[in-house]
Amino acid sequence: MTRTSSRLANDAWEALLTAHAALIKHLAADRIWHEVTMREYDVLYTLSKCDRPTRIGELNRNVLLSQPALSRLVERLAERGLIERSADPADGRGVRLSLTEAGRLQQRRVGGRHAVGVARAVAAELSEEEMRQLEAICRKLSGADRAAGPDRNDTATSEPEEVTT
Amino acid sequence: MTRTSSRLANDAWEALLTAHAALIKHLAADRIWHEVTMREYDVLYTLSKCDRPTRIGELNRNVLLSQPALSRLVERLAERGLIERSADPADGRGVRLSLTEAGRLQQRRVGGRHAVGVARAVAAELSEEEMRQLEAICRKLSGADRAAGPDRNDTATSEPEEVTT
DNA sequence: TTCAAGTAGATGCAAACGCATATACATCGG
DNA sequence: CCGATGTATATGCGTTTGCATCTACTTGAA
């Protein structure tokens, strides 16, 4: 690890953090978070990308929350009828989560409007080429290695967001 | 806003969010957050970059916390003797914050070790060219425009992190 | 089969958060 | 100079978070 490489890495990370904070704040100002908060949406969105019932632990790998916090967030969403919890037939300890129809609708409604805000904010600053580069670099940065398992099935079945508004 | 541009923007944003979450989790696992949490460090670090006493409101533009939460975090840090609050002579409402010597030491100690972790994590996945691109793109993305003020003095006096370990 | 060790999720509790609002000072028109 | 409006930070309060721990189930080896 050379001195200059370390410096480059830290500068890049700080820039990413700054951009993240700025965009989050900007997007949080959108008037679309009355019914679901950004964190709740994060869970709904993540679930919407899964074609089959998902374990809480699996969700927890994608969501930046402690396991107990996610567990309770899931509980609240279930009480609100947005997601469904069912026992895992293959593992008595596990809980499998899936969106209810209401949850799917809610996710689509909020997601559509949210996507507009994201597009506006990002496309206002970056060229299409830059957006592509950013995505590619961030994907590399997410590095399959972290997360320990070398055999991660990195949700190759992407189909990120539907702007069906 | 073309359909493809919107899609690119949303894909890029999702990739950024994913990378952010993955790195944060990875870095949070470093055993250096006993004395200051990541959020506390964020404040100490931000202050360390300011050569003169800084307003809470100004800090709040860089830190992803509500104003009341930041206000109380600052209070806790002050009680622990890491930062100092003083009245702003030019504005009776304002509070000016600055690191104490202990705060500066703490920031440097943690910062040095943190920077090692960042360097390891980032440089392990990206080439130097990619790090430079990521930084440049993220800086653009932070867009001086958001934040309303067109006359922001974007801390041009950078000198991000000292890896003096 | 049995039991020790491991893993998934839930729960108690104190700390921290966000929202609404209060307080104190600034600023500006009259 | 004075009140109306605006801004900076603090505080009350209900909600959410994280840490430690608990429970329930699985796994693997004797």
Side-chain angles (χ1 to χ4, degrees), chain B residues 99-145:
Chain B
L99 289 179
T100 61
E101 208 43 52
R104 196 168 296 278
L105 277 172
Q106 183 76 273
Q107 187 280 314
R108 286 201 180 125
R109 236 178 330 155
V110 177
R113 298 203 275 169
H114 180 43
V116 173
V118 171
R120 264 206 274 272
V122 174
E125 305 292 339
L126 303 182
S127 70
E128 297 197 354
E129 178 57 17
E130 287 169 329
M131 294 192 252
R132 267 186 277 263
Q133 288 181 355
L134 178 58
E135 180 184 348
I137 293 174
C138 284
R139 273 198 205 286
K140 283 190 69 176
L141 195 48
S142 300
D145 57 326

Side-chain angles (χ1 to χ4, degrees), chain A residues 55-57 67-68 71-72 93:
Chain A
R55 292 294 214 76
I56 283 192
Q67 175 268 311
S71 190
R72 283 193 253 240
R93 301 165 300 178

Side-chain angles (χ1 to χ4, degrees), chain B residues 12-112:
Chain B
W13 173 238
E14 183 177 354
L16 191 152
L17 277 181
T18 303
H20 173 262
L23 259 294
I24 289 282
K25 280 194 176 185
H26 177 72
L27 294 169
D30 284 347
R31 302 177 179 285
I32 62 179
W33 308 111
H34 308 293
E35 315 201 335
V36 292
T37 65
M38 282 185 95
R39 265 201 267 259
E40 287 166 350
Y41 175 73
D42 190 12
V43 169
L44 295 182
Y45 174 61
T46 304
L47 277 179
S48 79
K49 286 191 308 180
C50 303
D51 41 351
R52 50 177 185 176
T54 308
R55 290 297 214 73
I56 283 191
E58 181 132 6
L59 249 186
N60 202 188
R61 256 174 257 126
N62 304 316
V63 176
L64 199 48
L65 274 178
S66 68
Q67 174 268 312
L70 177 58
S71 191
R72 282 192 253 237
L73 174 49
V74 159
E75 187 179 25
R76 274 171 262 142
L77 290 173
E79 278 168 4
R80 285 161 56 188
L82 297 176
I83 72 182
E84 228 164 17
R85 287 188 288 190
S86 59
D88 187 332
D91 186 342
R93 300 164 301 177
V95 174
R96 300 191 312 170
L97 306 172
S98 50
L99 289 179
T100 61
E101 208 43 52
R104 196 168 296 278
L105 277 172
Q106 183 76 273
Q107 187 280 314
R108 286 201 180 125
R109 236 178 330 155
V110 177

Side-chain angles (χ1 to χ4, degrees), chain A residues 97-136:
Chain A
L97 307 172
S98 50
L99 289 178
T100 61
E101 207 42 53
R104 196 168 296 279
L105 278 171
Q106 183 76 274
Q107 187 280 315
R108 286 201 180 125
R109 235 180 329 157
V110 176
R113 298 203 274 169
H114 180 43
V116 173
V118 170
R120 264 206 274 272
V122 174
E125 305 292 339
L126 303 182
S127 70
E128 296 197 355
E129 179 57 18
E130 288 168 328
M131 293 192 253
R132 268 185 277 263
Q133 288 181 354
L134 178 59
E135 181 186 347

